[in-house]
């Protein structure tokens, strides 16, 4: 695992976008794994800029998102499909038919796993992290869950994500998520973490034991992971 520390979230975003630009340019039909949450938004803005400037061409890119809330239709204002359209897909030259987000109504776990497999696997997977160490929506648990699965969200995660909804009551109680195995199968992983509120999580994930109670710790068993932190997130390392 390689860890790089940058001054702030904006420089992390520039660095992350450069990694994506490089990977997409290197491989025709590159398969990328994408994430939601606030952290990747500046990276997506950078990628939109690079696309508009003609530096990155998304026309042959295939994407798979990590997760989706159970019970939310793709066009629900708080769905991750809608988030991805608004934050990235609507602004770049990607073919929407090549973009995939798990279906929160059908909960198509096995089909989603198979689709990724049929596409040849993920070349570069982007990850954020929850304050409890979750990746995708793989919450702390007694065991790592490997395939794409339906996960019960912790109250902490629901509270963290309530800011995207009108009230905590509206936050779904479960989600469909790529599993730990699905994520670990990506050939390369790029994790971005910014902000002081993640500083303790960073220490636990990067320095603590590799245990399912801290899901992100498993990334240290992957042979090609790059972690980009801002100084706030790295402040307790
Ligand atoms: C959600 C997503 C995760 C993301 C996390 C952190 O729970 N499922 O993929 O990493 O939020 O979000 P934020 O970047 O807003 O802190």
């Amino acid at each position: 695992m390689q860890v790089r520390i940058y001054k702030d979230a904006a420089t992390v975003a520039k660095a992350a976008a450069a990694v994506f630009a490089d990977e997409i340019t290197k491989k025709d039909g590159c398969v990328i794994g994408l994430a939601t949450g606030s952290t990747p938004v500046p990276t997506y803005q950078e990628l939109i800029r690079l696309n508009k400037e003609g530096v990155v061409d998304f026309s042959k890119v295939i994407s798979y998102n990590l997760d989706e809330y159970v019970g939310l239709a793709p066009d629900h204002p708080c769905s991750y499909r809608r988030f991805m359209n608004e934050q990235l897909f609507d602004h770049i030259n990607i073919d929407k038919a090549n973009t995939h987000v798990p279906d929160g109504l059908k909960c198509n776990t096995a089909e989603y796993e198979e689709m990724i497999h049929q596409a040849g696997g993920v070349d570069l997977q982007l990850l954020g992290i929850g304050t409890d160490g979750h990746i995708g929506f793989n919450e702390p648990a007694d065991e790592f869950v490997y395939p794409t699965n339906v996960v019960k969200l912790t109250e902490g995660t629901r509270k963290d994500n309530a800011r995207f909804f009108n009230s905590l009551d509206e936050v779904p109680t479960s989600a469909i998520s790529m599993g730990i195995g699905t994520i670990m199968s990506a050939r390369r992983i790029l994790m971005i973490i910014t902000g002081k509120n993640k500083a303790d999580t960073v220490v636990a994930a990067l320095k603590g034991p590799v245990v399912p109670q801290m899901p992100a710790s498993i990334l240290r068993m992957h042979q090609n992971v790059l972690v980009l932190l801002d100084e706030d997130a790295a402040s307790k390392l």
Side-chain angles (χ1 to χ4, degrees):
M1 174 180 275
Q2 242 193 309
V3 181
R4 293 185 197 151
I5 300 169
Y6 293 84
K7 197 168 141 298
D8 53 23
T11 43
V12 166
K14 276 198 173 27
V19 172
F20 266 93
D22 188 46
E23 195 78 24
I24 290 167
T25 309
K26 246 183 2 208
K27 188 177 171 188
D28 234 22
C30 186
V31 181
I32 58 174
L34 297 175
T36 53
S38 309
T39 312
V41 171
T43 300
Y44 293 156
Q45 285 166 356
E46 272 300 306
L47 286 174
I48 292 166
R49 188 180 64 79
L50 292 175
N51 183 239
K52 292 206 187 312
E53 288 173 1
V55 180
V56 192
D57 175 15
F58 285 89
S59 61
K60 294 192 182 135
V61 169
I62 299 164
S63 76
Y64 287 89
N65 258 79
L66 285 166
D67 45 20
E68 179 61 280
Y69 289 109
V70 166
L72 300 196
D75 62 351
H76 187 286
C78 298
S79 76
Y80 279 166
R81 158 54 77 181
R82 181 89 169 249
F83 176 95
M84 289 309 301
N85 286 348
E86 289 173 356
Q87 299 297 333
L88 184 65
F89 301 149
D90 285 346
H91 312 287
I92 57 175
N93 71 331
I94 200 164
D95 179 351
K96 281 263 179 76
N98 287 337
T99 68
H100 307 86
V101 179
D103 192 315
L105 295 183
K106 289 190 202 138
C107 292
N108 55 339
T109 51
E111 183 200 34
Y112 201 68
E113 192 75 34
E114 183 57 24
M115 281 196 292
I116 296 172
H117 182 68
Q118 291 297 331
V122 172
D123 292 303
L124 176 63
Q125 175 68 55
L126 180 65
L127 292 179
I129 192 169
T131 49
D132 62 2
H134 72 238
I135 48 176
F137 261 134
N138 294 280
E139 296 280 31
D142 291 336
E143 289 179 0
F144 289 114
V145 177
Y146 291 96
T148 297
N149 64 109
V150 171
V151 191
K152 189 172 159 19
L153 302 178
T154 64
E155 282 314 294
T157 294
R158 292 185 66 241
K159 280 189 193 132
D160 280 352
N161 290 349
R163 67 189 192 278
F164 295 108
F165 294 79
N166 292 321
S167 70
L168 179 58
D169 285 349
E170 284 183 19
V171 184
T173 53
S174 56
I176 170 170
S177 176
M178 282 190 198
I180 291 293
T182 328
I183 293 169
M184 290 292 280
S185 305
R187 283 181 274 284
R188 191 175 181 202
I189 294 175
L190 174 64
M191 175 172 244
I192 51 175
I193 313 177
T194 57
K196 269 220 154 42
N197 64 322
K198 302 274 176 73
D200 288 320
T201 317
V202 166
V203 174
L206 304 192
K207 300 279 184 209
V210 175
V211 288
Q213 287 77 11
M214 177 45 63
S217 63
I218 190 98
L219 297 172
R220 280 150 50 208
M221 312 301 283
H222 190 285
Q223 53 181 4
N224 198 352
V225 181
L226 175 60
V227 183
L228 309 182
L229 307 173
D230 70 353
E231 284 177 1
D232 283 343
S235 58
K236 293 195 176 168
L237 270 183

